[in-house]
Amino acid sequence: MIIVNGQQKSEISVKDRGLLYGDGIFETIKVKGAMPKLWHMHLDRLVHSCNALKIAVPNLKHLQNDVDQVIKETGPNLVLKIIVTRGIGNRGYIYTGNEQPTVIVMSSPEYVTNERDYLNGVKAIFCETRLSHNTNLAGLKHLNRLEQVIARAEWQDPQIREGVLLDNDELVIEGTMSNLFIEKDGVLYTPKLDKSGVSGVVRRKVIETQEAAKAPVCIKNITKNELLCADSIAISNSLMGVIPLSQIGDKVFSISPLIKEIVSRNLHDCN
Amino acid sequence: MIIVNGQQKSEISVKDRGLLYGDGIFETIKVKGAMPKLWHMHLDRLVHSCNALKIAVPNLKHLQNDVDQVIKETGPNLVLKIIVTRGIGNRGYIYTGNEQPTVIVMSSPEYVTNERDYLNGVKAIFCETRLSHNTNLAGLKHLNRLEQVIARAEWQDPQIREGVLLDNDELVIEGTMSNLFIEKDGVLYTPKLDKSGVSGVVRRKVIETQEAAKAPVCIKNITKNELLCADSIAISNSLMGVIPLSQIGDKVFSISPLIKEIVSRNLHDCN
């Protein structure tokens, strides 16, 4: 089911700036038992992303109604995608600030991760594609996703579940569709996202939970070599929660008790 | 008038990857006297951009038919926009290669440049926004245009007609909607576009014409200081042709005979 600006329909204008320029943001949300998981964190990020791009924040009550309706019509378990674009404007890159945002709420079938993957971890590769630096866009889940499209096209093997992306400075940033955590000597690290990358809601959840447990995640620049020297690695996103990486390229990683704990906690929180 | 995949309509699916990821390319073409100007160069770039992103190249005969129909219905003078997206796919960044591209041909009202502007030049500013480096995307007119949207929002004064963009290395690349040419000691220069920027068709036209006249344009890295020390500057795009810059920020530029000649020649070729 798809709702566009409160109406059940599946198309938008070709003059929408979301299409013309990727001028918009999105959220991908796991719905289980009719509950959108980490809902307030997704809403927070949606509002933050709109504000960062100076896109009018949609009416959140109406958005909630749209989400409720999609869940009611589709069933209790699904993937929910919310897109907010700047809407329709005049020709050219300039916007007036008076554009009416386009709000799209759509469902896809439930995304199921094999239980084995949480226990044994999954395989990844290093991508050749590099993430560019843009301090205006870093952290936002915006609609300019060609870098991820190009990176994801680097492998076809379904056994490879993620591609690790470095930036133009050869620093490790994230996966094509996930954030990264590494453990070294009992400390958890995750890459800084001040120049590239998407600030994921599960990443935020892990950071906040660790903070509350007085075992804070260290957010820093991480080199490829530091990643390869990690004791244990995990990736996170809203659909999987946290999942260990058992291998990147040829390098095999063990799954530490700390990573196991975080995987398990997020299975509970996010699933 | 708008044609989507050969049908007169004005909407596309919200599942189109053009919207979801900016996974597509576009061309903006001046039509005058029912003639799409520099048509074969636009077609060339369209095909090149599709190939670079591994998007299926649309049937060019059908595309030509769509363009003819839009011109016939709209009138002889207009702005034509062609968008080609990868089309509709499954959820996620991965594509199969079997997606059917979405081809959109649409018209906007004629874009008229004041004759005075060709004679006296127009004013520009330096943007604070920096263009990021992406060797996969450099040169292509793709749909990931948030950098241009953000840069264009830096000024409101209608007297300012363009913003000059530097890249993350502080090199001069282009305007938000145009390419740049500078003249110094009788030689014409234009920035290298191997890491950022859009390779414009009028830029190509100028380069080829100068080459044929044995006065080749030097394509090189250009610093902000080199730009400010230029004798004369011009910007180019498909709708304006070539137009002199009389001022960038506080710095005033004269309009040299060579720039005048190129402006005038392109008035003839592109208008």
Side-chain angles (χ1 to χ4, degrees), chain B residues 114-229:
Chain B
N114 201 307
E115 280 206 30
R116 206 177 44 216
D117 294 340
Y118 291 108
L119 286 173
N120 303 339
V122 297
K123 290 183 187 176
I125 56 160
F126 283 107
C127 287
E128 298 291 327
T129 304
R130 292 293 177 268
L131 292 172
S132 59
H133 289 169
N134 186 313
T135 50
N136 289 317
L137 298 177
L140 308 181
K141 206 165 168 77
H142 56 72
L143 294 175
N144 278 202
R145 289 289 151 215
L146 274 172
E147 288 183 342
Q148 282 70 27
V149 169
I150 292 170
R152 184 58 191 84
E154 288 190 37
W155 79 95
Q156 294 298 323
D157 178 357
Q159 295 300 311
I160 306 294
R161 298 283 292 282
E162 183 55 298
V164 174
L165 287 163
L166 311 187
D167 71 0
N168 282 331
D169 287 345
E170 300 294 304
L171 293 170
V172 173
I173 302 298
E174 62 189 3
T176 62
M177 50 134 195
S178 65
N179 290 117
L180 280 168
F181 289 94
I182 75 172
E183 187 196 335
K184 179 72 179 173
D185 299 332
V187 178
L188 211 55
Y189 298 87
T190 193
K192 268 173 87 169
L193 302 178
D194 55 337
K195 293 183 180 169
S196 337
V198 176
S199 183
V201 295
V202 177
R203 176 179 181 271
R204 177 179 159 194
K205 175 81 184 172
V206 171
I207 290 169
E208 290 183 2
T209 308
Q210 291 299 114
E211 182 97 11
K214 310 278 186 220
V217 178
C218 177
I219 302 169
K220 68 183 273 289
N221 288 336
I222 295 175
T223 64
K224 185 173 175 179
N225 197 44
E226 285 174 309
L227 185 77
L228 288 170
C229 293

Side-chain angles (χ1 to χ4, degrees), chain A residues 9-14 21-22 91 93-95 132-134 143-147 152-153 168 176 239, chain B residues 9-14 21-22 91 93-94 132-134 143-147 152-153 168 176 239:
Chain A
K9 58 179 291 195
S10 59
E11 298 197 313
I12 60 155
S13 168
V14 298
Y21 309 129
R91 217 194 58 75
Y93 296 124
I94 196 171
Y95 57 86
S132 60
H133 289 170
N134 186 315
L143 294 175
N144 278 201
R145 290 289 150 215
L146 274 172
E147 289 183 341
R152 183 59 191 83
N168 282 332
T176 62
L239 301 184
Chain B
K9 57 179 291 196
S10 59
E11 298 198 312
I12 61 154
S13 168
V14 299
Y21 309 130
R91 217 195 58 75
Y93 296 124
I94 196 171
S132 59
H133 289 169
N134 186 313
L143 294 175
N144 278 202
R145 289 289 151 215
L146 274 172
E147 288 183 342
R152 184 58 191 84
N168 282 331
T176 62
L239 300 184

